[in-house]
Each structure stands twice: as C-alpha cells, then as structure tokens.
Amino acid sequence: MAQINVFYDEIGNTLTVWFDSPHDEYICEETGEEVILMKNKTGKVIGFEKLNFSAEKPVNFQVGFETIAIKPEAISAQQITPPDRQQLGDF
C-alpha cells in the first residue's frame, strides 16, 4: 500500500496531503474553493492543500487507501461528478 503524508499547519491554518513525493511537484493549480492541487510534470495530481483549515483538537491517526486502475477511454467527462459535500463533510 502506498504511503500518504498529511501535514497540518496550525499556525498557517492549512492541511496538506501528499499522495506522492513532494519533490515531484511541478505546478500548482488553485481550484477556487480554497484548495490548491499540486501536480507533477505530466499533470497528475500528487497532492492538495486546503487553505483556511482549522482543527479544534488535532489528533494523530493512520489512514489506509486503496487505488484502482481505470482506463481513460472507459469513462467520459460527463460521467465524472464531484463528490457530495454532505457525504464527505467540509475539510
């Protein structure tokens, strides 16, 4: 299982999550919802940063993720919908 790194900056009020090595960061893209996507040279998202994030009581925890491969031709842009905010909650 790949390792994901999560950093909470209590002073800067940011939450940063890396799916890959931060050294591979090539360009950043702001989404307009106080989220910055970090991408590598090929445009793959390798992390994100949530701005204006604050946690009342920081907690240490471990999270496991599983990835699946999807062929790009198997889906179209119309089939991709953003996640339900009620389901995920706000950061």
Side-chain angles (χ1 to χ4, degrees), residues 11-32:
I11 296 170
N13 289 333
T14 60
L15 180 72
T16 307
V17 179
W18 290 102
F19 309 120
D20 210 332
S21 172
H23 300 291
D24 293 338
E25 179 182 352
Y26 183 72
I27 193 166
C28 294
E29 176 185 326
E30 192 169 350
T31 66

Side-chain angles (χ1 to χ4, degrees), residues 2 11 23-25 28 31 36 40 53-54 65 67 77 81 87:
I11 296 170
H23 300 291
D24 293 338
E25 179 182 352
C28 294
T31 66
I36 297 173
N40 64 14
F53 178 87
S54 63
F65 290 90
T67 59
T81 57
Q87 201 173 31

Side-chain angles (χ1 to χ4, degrees), residues 59-78:
V59 183
N60 292 330
F61 62 92
Q62 197 170 28
V63 179
F65 290 90
E66 184 176 336
T67 59
I68 59 171
I70 298 176
K71 294 181 181 179
E73 61 273 6
I75 59 172
S76 68
Q78 289 81 17

Side-chain angles (χ1 to χ4, degrees), residues 6-9 13-17 48-51 53 91:
V6 179
F7 301 97
Y8 172 55
D9 180 352
N13 289 333
T14 60
L15 180 72
T16 307
V17 179
F48 69 89
E49 184 170 51
K50 172 64 175 136
L51 306 176
F53 178 87
F91 283 99

